[in-house]
Every structure is written in C-alpha cells, then in structure tokens.
Amino acid sequence: MSTLDATRAELGLVVLYLNKAEARDKICRAIQYGSKFLSNGESGTAQNVDKSTSLARKVFRLFKFVNDLHALISPTPQGTPLPLVLLGKSKNALLSTFLFLDQVVWLGRTGIYKNKERAELIGRISLFCWMGSSICTTLVELGELGRLSASMKKLEKDLKNTNKYHNEDYRAKLKKSNERSLALIKAGMDIVVAVGLLQLAPKKVTPRVTGAFGFVSSLISCYQLLPAPAKSKSS
C-alpha cells in the first residue's frame, strides 16, 4: 500500500469517527471540562467557552433519551443475575430521565422556557439522575467484572497445560474485562463530576477538580468510540 493510500485510509477512519454524533458530543465535552479546569470557576474566556460548549452539547442530546428508554424495555441477556438486571434497568431509567429533563434545561437557557427558577430546579434534579445512573453503572461493571473473573479462572484451569493467550475464548474474555475496567473507571470519575456540578462537596470537589475528572472521563469516552481496528488478512 502506497503512502497516499495509507493516508486516505487513515483519513477515512477519521471521517467515519467524526460522522458519529456521539463522538462529536464527547469531543465537545472534553473542550467543556478542559475549559472548566482552566477557569477554576472564575469569569473569563475559559468560563465562556465552558458555558457555550455546555449549551451546544445539549443540542446533540435532543431526543437521545429514547436510546435508554429502548434499552429499558429491551430484554436482558439470559443468565444475567437479577441484581445486575435491576441495576442495569435502573441505570437506563435514570439516564433516560436525565436526558429528557436536560431538554427542559436547554429550553430554559435559550429563553424558550421562561420560568428560570423551575428550569434551575429541573437542572439540579437531572444531575442527581445522572449521578444515580453513574452509581448504577459502577455497580453493574463491578458485578460483571466479578463474573468475568470467575469465568476466566475456570477457563484457566481447563487450559493449564497450554498457553491461555492462544485460546480465542480466553482472549475475548480478557478484552471484555479490559473494556469493563475502563468503563468502571469512567463511571467512577463521572460520579465525582456530578458531585462537583451539584456542589455537594464544594471545598473538596472544586471547579478545577470537576474539570480535571470530566476532561479525563471525556477522553475515555472518545477512546471507547474509536472504530475497531481492521483484522489483518492472512496471506
């Protein structure tokens, strides 16, 4: 493959990535929280970028609550323990509620919805819903990692006389474990971000701390949305 073909293929992946509304939202989220980190809650250019990007992101999320509403009423994989099913459905319900209420917040900030006090109250309720969904996600990921760990240990015993990394099933489980570990870290960071936005611990979780955690969480989200690498064809 020539250099031009390789460049074209790489640019094609970038275009594919940027065509995703979710990817653009997460890039804007990184800008938003990076600006929050720089401003540290003080007025200026960085805070203006934070506020304007936050408002712009709400447009990306219009009607996005339908996604989690669909997941809420969809059947869960067979064999999933009831506590994990309930936690997963709670996460979907809370996240769907957050995204729905966030539309009211957008209407308030654009001036379409005139009751500012009620819009602020709804915004606070929506953030509590988001924090609740992040807590549920954390618990779900912990539970699923425990199940994966037990499954991998059992498989290791069956493969004790061979190289486990040559086993396709083991590699798949290891990849899934790494993905869930990353999702667990992101969910934990999002809880801190929610605490910061709600000002539940203003002395410890300052705007700078909120910005730092939100920025790293956004980078993780951007990484999770990267296209899967193409499998190399055997000659």
Side-chain angles (χ1 to χ4, degrees), residues 55-129:
L55 186 61
R57 287 186 60 228
K58 295 187 187 303
V59 179
F60 283 115
R61 299 202 295 260
L62 287 176
F63 303 108
K64 192 181 171 184
F65 69 92
V66 176
N67 294 358
D68 279 277
L69 192 60
H70 179 264
L72 178 63
I73 61 176
S74 298
T76 52
Q78 283 189 332
T80 306
L82 182 59
L84 291 183
V85 171
L86 293 175
L87 282 169
K89 295 301 181 184
S90 298
K91 180 203 83 169
N92 294 139
L94 287 165
L95 193 54
S96 183
T97 304
F98 158 68
L99 291 167
F100 178 77
L101 294 178
D102 200 47
Q103 295 181 145
V104 181
V105 177
W106 175 73
L107 291 172
R109 290 188 183 176
T110 53
I112 299 171
Y113 184 66
K114 303 297 183 183
N115 194 327
K116 290 186 178 181
E117 289 184 4
R118 184 164 294 179
E120 286 178 8
L121 176 62
I122 290 171
R124 193 164 176 81
I125 293 170
S126 73
L127 285 174
F128 273 111
C129 289

Side-chain angles (χ1 to χ4, degrees), residues 6-20 226-230:
T7 304
R8 189 183 295 116
E10 289 171 1
L11 284 175
L13 287 175
V14 173
V15 170
L16 182 67
Y17 182 74
L18 293 177
N19 277 342
K20 297 179 181 178
L226 285 172

Side-chain angles (χ1 to χ4, degrees), residues 2 22 25 38 44 48 50 75 79 111 141 172 196 203-204 224 232:
S2 67
E22 186 74 8
D25 175 50
L38 293 173
N48 292 338
D50 173 15
E141 296 302 338
K203 291 184 179 179
K204 292 184 178 179
Q224 290 172 324
S232 57

Side-chain angles (χ1 to χ4, degrees), residues 141 145 148 152 165 170-185 220 223-224:
E141 296 302 338
L145 279 169
L148 266 173
M152 288 172 71
Y165 296 106
Y170 184 85
R171 291 201 309 270
K173 288 180 184 293
L174 182 61
K175 182 185 175 185
K176 195 69 179 174
S177 178
N178 291 337
E179 289 172 352
R180 288 201 173 277
S181 296
L182 192 61
L184 175 62
I185 293 168
I220 292 173
Y223 172 77
Q224 290 172 324

Side-chain angles (χ1 to χ4, degrees), residues 40-58:
N40 195 26
E42 297 175 2
S43 58
T45 304
Q47 189 180 68
N48 292 338
V49 172
D50 173 15
K51 290 181 178 179
S52 60
T53 311
S54 173
L55 186 61
R57 287 186 60 228
K58 295 187 187 303

